[in-house]
Amino acid sequence: MSTGAEVVVNRLLAEGVDVCFANPGTSEMHFVAALDAAPAMRPVLCLFEGVATGAADGYARIAGTPAATLLHLGPGMANGLANLHNARRAFTPVVNVVGDHATYHQPLDAPLESDIDALGRWTQGSVHRPESAADLDAAVHAAVHSATSTPGRVATLILPADYSWGSTPQNLLSDNGVGGSETGDADTLLDAAGAAELLRAQGERAVLLLGGAATHADGLRAAARINAATGARVLVETFPARLTRGQGVPVIERLGYLAEQATQQLSGATHLVLVGAKSPVSFFAYPGKPSVLVPDGTEVSTLVVDELVGLADELGGVAPAPAQPGPAELPTGPLNPQNLAQVIAALLPENAIISDEANTSGVFLPAATASAPRHDVLTLTGGAIGQGLPVAVGAAIAAPHRPVIALQSDGSAAYTISALWTMAREQLDVTVVILNNHAYAILQLELLRVGTQANGERSRSLLDLSRPDIDFALIAQGFGVPATRATTAEQLADQFRTALAEPGPHLIDAALPTWSPG
Amino acid sequence: MSTGAEVVVNRLLAEGVDVCFANPGTSEMHFVAALDAAPAMRPVLCLFEGVATGAADGYARIAGTPAATLLHLGPGMANGLANLHNARRAFTPVVNVVGDHATYHQPLDAPLESDIDALGRWTQGSVHRPESAADLDAAVHAAVHSATSTPGRVATLILPADYSWGSTPQNLLSDNGVGGSETGDADTLLDAAGAAELLRAQGERAVLLLGGAATHADGLRAAARINAATGARVLVETFPARLTRGQGVPVIERLGYLAEQATQQLSGATHLVLVGAKSPVSFFAYPGKPSVLVPDGTEVSTLVVDELVGLADELGGVAPAPAQPGPAELPTGPLNPQNLAQVIAALLPENAIISDEANTSGVFLPAATASAPRHDVLTLTGGAIGQGLPVAVGAAIAAPHRPVIALQSDGSAAYTISALWTMAREQLDVTVVILNNHAYAILQLELLRVGTQANGERSRSLLDLSRPDIDFALIAQGFGVPATRATTAEQLADQFRTALAEPGPHLIDAALPTWSPG
């Protein structure tokens, strides 16, 4: 029994397409896994989608036959569009393979959801969206045929994840949160009085989910007071645009990225009140797991952010005194994600802005920085990686007197690495710390989570960023940013302190152990 | 009297938008020029559009007010889409300014033409396309208002070049080439017999324009025979997907990129026969200059590429003996565009593939390499820069036993620089030569050509890539590609020879004089 992804790979090979320029993500993990059983297909990892699409163009101009790409949903295809435009103008045949959310996940408007078909049409080529898993073979054939017709064109083949894993799950949608509106948001709008009544009655069975402006200091304080007055639980959305944290600001947990975490955080809730946030859905769909994270039977309602402080006043709660920061202890020893987080937390300057695209390696940061000096965290709201360095540029220009710290994973850093040059040109006070674990670690984890059995050399080569290791210190120097490399916690502390003290941008390439799934 | 671009900049300032994250092109030169008179607007140059859009997101998350971007038509916006997606999900207000072709140039389907509105809609924000130059002020106001409404969104403001320069030219469209079809292609389809009759009758008054497969060796030889038999002139389209050149292949001139050159090449033609090419239009519109390059009164017809060899047979022409290559002389002295071209030509190996994104610095390459060993040139077909390194990756994988040489300008190289890592990972035999003139030289030229008076520090800062100079050798080493730097012709020759002799990728950062418009 083949998975849908295996059907796709085998049909591509049967049609003579045997090279795939890839920059995959979670929704493409079954395609990646299928490569192990298809040694005739050559996967070529590219660190940015514009490289993959341009390579597919160059390949076909010389080979005379098309290559495939493998791109990650709409944002991944967006990154590859400009070179698809050049391919269009060259009449180059390209089989542009784009993963999509599972079909039942698409209506939930999860963070990476977008109109992939519109991007396909933009290339003036053809768009092929199979209607079922059984339609995959025919869709691949049609895409290759269209790409290679005269004149050649870009044929975009959209592969929903559930078709790739080859089963169509039933009953995975909860009854909640996908009702009247397309976005899964609640229909019931509460005012402060109504919310007060609800929270008093429900106590800890109620959960407030904070997003938008509710995650700034005032909103968080109000939410902490509401919690104190009623026992209602409070959570911050998974990827807030701007979250204030640190001394004097209540510590409010974020909803977990992993659906398993989020489900646990929301368990037992009978009422969910959205305050500037959307009703939570999982980032991706996973075989046999629910996409809607709101427990069955939970009532979902909305309170506008502007009412939050009024609600706290009405309830009359008093926020608990913020925890006193412990002495900042600097760790020692070879660098790892845990002591890296401790170093950042211990040395974090007052009023810092953190641009957080640390991804997998950043798992210990929230706990470590909870009692650090007050700071704002800007997170990756839409899941389109390559945002951390650009966001740091913008934040530094918006707030020239605040220290900006970009905590940046290696794989994502490569997407928009030229942001370093603008930091140098403008002499921005940005300290970039590359959390360099030589891997698309999040994907190694996701490969397991989507239930594939892949552990072959070919599939793992697409998730591994060693061979060669990337030396971000050299790259930074090439773009005019002074840079160092840290392999121990002591070195990181020294270099981080120096970088913060000196004006202008700095980069620290923090060498973490090469990541492999536990 | 203000230009439209000045109206736009002043209205942005009046609405409180005083930072612009920019990666402009020719169609945005009047906006750039307007910055000199608007010292309150801070322009920030980014080397890739995804940096500009992400920076605008980060700026507004901290400042609370939107920044503007400045992007180059649809392909430029495409490069910025992924971070606009993140901004969308963060509900960040962004005033996304995208230049467009002059309104009368848009129907000609020039290489950079695409559906910008569709990209704007993809962000789920608003799209603002002024209906006339008089509508600019209102359109800017509407865009800022939309961006800053609750919740914030991406408001895309599309600025046609003719509105920006503030005059609507009349009678700049020729009667030719924009007839029945949207693309300006000819309606009359010739067969070989009909073409033979036409060319015998018209001689040098006829021009064959070759594109697509007609620019491979067989097509070029057939075209040379046709020229010998009838005197008909033969040209290759400006940006062929794949052009065979060198020993044993007739030298056929390419239609010039500059409209002034192209107009001269086509002057006196009464009949234009398109063979795999489109009817020529200028790359951009320029104030007071025609966009259609076909002379008035010229009849345009089409011959399918497959008929080309048959036509040559029917006419019975004999191609002139190809010129014998002269002795390959290696130049000396400080590196400049001319001796760089001589070094490449003298050392070009047999059967090479050149990925040509040399742009301004490559002006001497075609003449120098005409009698080099036979090779294929892959050019930038769609004008979306950042294609040269990815195309080289694809070509090297398609033809593992052919040497691949990427002649790559510095500004464009920064777009997809991570292609170097894939070259290292796959150990591709690619020799990258960065033609590093520390400038967006083509834009310094275009700034003059669009008739602006800009020579202020602010406008020039957006076209200058020094401060800091980019060291591509360091960056290449960071991505795992051995690299050197050449400042003299002798060094370039040594390093180029070594790079070709050793397996795997190499990069040579060729330091050219900093470009400034003559």
Side-chain angles (χ1 to χ4, degrees):
Chain A
M1 183 65 186
S2 297
T3 66
E6 288 167 347
V7 170
V8 169
V9 171
N10 288 330
R11 171 51 59 191
L12 285 170
L13 286 169
E15 305 271 354
V17 180
D18 58 8
V19 171
C20 176
F21 296 100
N23 191 269
T26 299
S27 38
E28 294 75 42
M29 283 301 102
H30 280 80
F31 189 112
V32 169
L35 296 173
D36 284 330
M41 178 65 78
R42 178 174 180 183
V44 179
L45 178 59
C46 301
L47 299 189
F48 180 71
E49 293 88 347
V51 177
T53 54
D57 183 2
Y59 178 90
R61 290 200 210 180
I62 293 299
T65 57
T69 63
L70 182 62
L71 311 178
H72 185 45
L73 298 110
M77 179 167 172
N79 279 330
L81 273 187
N83 277 337
L84 291 176
H85 173 87
N86 286 323
R88 164 199 167 193
R89 291 295 183 186
F91 300 104
T92 302
V94 176
V95 181
N96 184 49
V97 181
V98 185
D100 195 2
H101 284 309
T103 49
Y104 60 88
H105 199 74
Q106 291 164 20
L108 304 183
D109 198 37
L112 279 162
E113 180 68 26
S114 75
D115 186 352
I116 304 174
D117 301 68
L119 300 181
R121 289 192 299 271
W122 184 81
T123 69
Q124 304 276 308
S126 56
V127 179
H128 307 265
R129 187 183 270 284
E131 292 178 7
S132 68
D135 190 32
L136 281 170
D137 194 63
V140 176
H141 172 75
V144 178
H145 183 263
S146 172
T148 54
S149 299
T150 303
R153 76 199 61 167
V154 177
T156 296
L157 173 65
I158 302 173
L159 296 183
D162 51 342
Y163 297 174
S164 288
W165 68 57
S167 69
T168 308
Q170 303 295 323
N171 300 322
L172 292 178
L173 293 184
S174 156
D175 292 335
N176 296 93
V178 282
S181 89
E182 189 188 42
T183 58
D185 286 341
D187 289 330
T188 311
L189 184 66
L190 299 172
D191 57 12
E197 187 180 344
L198 184 150
L199 298 178
R200 282 198 191 100
Q202 299 299 330
E204 66 177 10
R205 292 187 302 274
V207 174
L208 263 68
L209 185 64
L210 310 180
T215 65
H216 304 180
D218 286 350
L220 298 169
R221 282 199 205 96
R225 291 169 60 206
I226 292 166
N227 166 262
T230 64
R233 286 179 273 168
V234 188
L235 291 166
V236 165
E237 63 182 344
T238 310
F239 290 105
R242 175 178 169 180
L243 173 65
T244 308
R245 303 183 77 245
Q247 289 168 22
V249 183
V251 176
I252 297 186
E253 208 177 354
R254 275 162 68 179
L255 192 69
Y257 164 74
L258 301 178
E260 300 88 315
Q261 300 170 275
T263 302
Q264 190 159 16
Q265 289 169 299
L266 294 172
S267 72
T270 58
H271 291 75
L272 176 65
V273 181
L274 306 173
V275 190
K278 293 178 57 178
S279 190
V281 299
S282 64
F283 217 76
F284 296 101
Y286 298 94
K289 293 179 186 160
S291 282
V292 172
L293 300 176
V294 182
D296 275 352
T298 301
E299 283 182 30
V300 183
S301 53
T302 294
L303 177 79
V304 297
V305 175
D306 287 349
E307 302 265 10
L308 193 62
V309 173
L311 172 61
D313 291 343
E314 177 151 347
L315 290 166
V318 177
Q324 287 304 306
E329 280 185 37
L330 280 168
T332 59
L335 213 50
N336 60 45
Q338 194 155 13
N339 62 24
L340 181 143
Q342 290 165 345
V343 171
I344 302 296
L347 300 178
L348 196 72
E350 190 68 43
N351 208 23
I353 296 168
I354 294 180
S355 175
D356 177 10
E357 198 172 358
N359 301 352
T360 320
S361 298
V363 62
F364 298 105
L365 284 162
T369 54
S371 59
R374 182 165 154 175
H375 59 282
D376 284 305
V377 180
L378 311 181
T379 80
L380 182 63
T381 49
I385 64 174
Q387 197 198 24
L389 300 179
V391 157
V393 166
I397 286 178
H401 303 300
R402 297 179 65 179
V404 176
I405 294 149
L407 302 178
Q408 181 64 49
S409 64
D410 53 338
S412 303
Y415 275 54
T416 45
I417 191 70
S418 72
L420 294 171
W421 183 87
T422 299
M423 294 179 191
R425 158 68 68 96
E426 302 289 331
Q427 281 299 293
L428 303 178
D429 284 329
V430 180
T431 299
V432 178
V433 181
I434 302 286
L435 289 78
N436 192 346
N437 63 6
H438 318 288
Y440 286 130
I442 186 73
L443 292 184
Q444 297 185 350
L445 184 68
E446 296 285 15
L447 191 67
L448 300 175
R449 294 183 69 225
V450 299
T452 63
Q453 302 299 319
N455 53 12
E457 193 189 332
R458 304 171 76 76
S459 61
R460 295 185 73 89
S461 77
L462 289 183
L463 313 182
D464 159 41
L465 298 179
S466 65
R467 302 182 298 111
D469 282 332
I470 302 173
D471 185 330
F472 284 96
L474 284 178
I475 292 171
Q477 289 164 25
F479 280 119
V481 171
T484 52
R485 185 155 185 274
T487 59
T488 66
E490 295 91 324
Q491 288 171 350
L492 177 64
D494 283 349
Q495 294 170 16
F496 191 58
R497 208 184 272 115
T498 304
L500 291 169
E502 290 178 1
H506 296 78
L507 180 141
I508 302 167
D509 190 356
L512 296 172
T514 297
W515 203 89
S516 66
Chain B
M1 181 66 184
S2 297
T3 66
E6 287 165 349
V7 170
V8 169
V9 171
N10 288 330
R11 171 53 57 191
L12 285 169
L13 286 168
E15 305 271 356
V17 179
D18 58 7
V19 172
C20 176
F21 295 100
N23 191 269
T26 299
S27 36
E28 295 75 42
M29 283 301 102
H30 280 80
F31 190 112
V32 169
L35 296 172
D36 285 329
M41 177 66 78
R42 178 174 180 181
V44 179
L45 178 59
C46 301
L47 299 189
F48 180 71
E49 293 89 347
V51 176
T53 54
D57 183 2
Y59 178 89
R61 290 200 211 180
I62 293 299
T65 57
T69 63
L70 182 62
L71 310 177
H72 185 45
L73 298 108
M77 179 167 172
N79 278 330
L81 272 187
N83 278 337
L84 291 176
H85 172 87
N86 287 322
R88 165 199 166 192
R89 292 295 182 187
F91 300 104
T92 302
V94 176
V95 181
N96 184 49
V97 181
V98 185
D100 195 2
H101 284 310
T103 48
Y104 60 88
H105 199 73
Q106 291 164 19
L108 304 183
D109 198 36
L112 278 162
E113 179 68 27
S114 74
D115 186 352
I116 303 173
D117 300 69
L119 300 181
R121 289 191 299 272
W122 185 80
T123 69
Q124 305 275 311
S126 56
V127 179
H128 307 265
R129 186 183 270 284
E131 291 179 6
S132 68
D135 189 32
L136 281 171
D137 195 63
V140 176
H141 171 75
V144 177
H145 183 263
S146 172
T148 54
S149 299
T150 304
R153 75 199 63 168
V154 177
T156 296
L157 173 65
I158 302 173
L159 295 183
D162 51 342
Y163 296 175
S164 288
W165 68 58
S167 70
T168 307
Q170 304 295 323
N171 299 322
L172 292 177
L173 294 183
S174 159
D175 291 336
N176 295 94
V178 281
S181 89
E182 188 188 44
T183 58
D185 287 340
D187 289 330
T188 312
L189 184 65
L190 298 173
D191 58 13
E197 189 180 344
L198 184 150
L199 298 178
R200 281 197 192 101
Q202 299 299 332
E204 67 177 9
R205 291 187 302 275
V207 174
L208 265 69
L209 184 64
L210 310 180
T215 66
H216 304 180
D218 286 349
L220 297 170
R221 282 198 204 96
R225 290 168 61 206
I226 293 165
N227 166 262
T230 64
R233 286 178 273 167
V234 188
L235 291 167
V236 165
E237 63 182 345
T238 309
F239 290 106
R242 175 177 170 179
L243 173 65
T244 309
R245 303 183 77 245
Q247 288 168 23
V249 182
V251 176
I252 297 185
E253 209 176 352
R254 275 161 69 179
L255 191 69
Y257 164 73
L258 301 178
E260 301 87 316
Q261 300 170 277
T263 301
Q264 189 160 19
Q265 289 169 301
L266 293 171
S267 72
T270 58
H271 292 75
L272 176 65
V273 181
L274 305 173
V275 190
K278 294 177 57 179
S279 190
V281 299
S282 64
F283 217 76
F284 296 100
Y286 299 94
K289 293 179 186 162
S291 283
V292 171
L293 300 175
V294 181
D296 275 351
T298 301
E299 285 182 29
V300 183
S301 53
T302 294
L303 177 79
V304 298
V305 175
D306 288 349
E307 301 266 10
L308 194 61
V309 173
L311 172 61
D313 290 344
E314 177 152 347
L315 289 166
V318 178
Q324 287 304 305
E329 281 185 35
L330 281 168
T332 58
L335 213 48
N336 60 44
Q338 194 156 13
N339 62 24
L340 181 144
Q342 291 166 344
V343 170
I344 302 296
L347 300 179
L348 197 71
E350 190 69 44
N351 208 24
I353 297 167
I354 294 179
S355 175
D356 177 9
E357 198 173 359
N359 300 352
T360 320
S361 296
V363 62
F364 297 105
L365 283 162
T369 54
S371 60
R374 182 167 155 173
H375 59 281
D376 284 306
V377 180
L378 311 181
T379 80
L380 182 62
T381 49
I385 63 174
Q387 197 197 24
L389 300 179
V391 157
V393 166
I397 285 178
H401 303 300
R402 296 180 65 178
V404 176
I405 294 149
L407 302 178
Q408 181 65 49
S409 64
D410 53 338
S412 303
Y415 276 55
T416 45
I417 192 69
S418 72
L420 294 171
W421 183 87
T422 300
M423 293 179 191
R425 158 69 68 94
E426 302 289 331
Q427 281 299 295
L428 303 178
D429 284 329
V430 180
T431 300
V432 178
V433 181
I434 302 286
L435 289 79
N436 192 346
N437 63 5
H438 318 289
Y440 287 130
I442 186 74
L443 291 185
Q444 298 187 349
L445 185 67
E446 296 284 15
L447 191 67
L448 300 176
R449 294 182 69 224
V450 299
T452 64
Q453 302 299 319
N455 53 12
E457 194 189 332
R458 304 172 77 78
S459 61
R460 296 185 73 90
S461 77
L462 289 182
L463 313 181
D464 159 41
L465 299 179
S466 64
R467 302 181 299 114
D469 281 333
I470 302 173
D471 185 329
F472 283 97
L474 283 178
I475 293 171
Q477 289 164 28
F479 281 120
V481 171
T484 51
R485 185 156 185 273
T487 59
T488 67
E490 295 92 324
Q491 287 172 350
L492 177 64
D494 283 349
Q495 294 170 15
F496 191 58
R497 208 185 270 116
T498 303
L500 290 168
E502 290 178 2
H506 296 77
L507 180 141
I508 302 166
D509 190 356
L512 296 173
T514 297
W515 203 89
S516 66

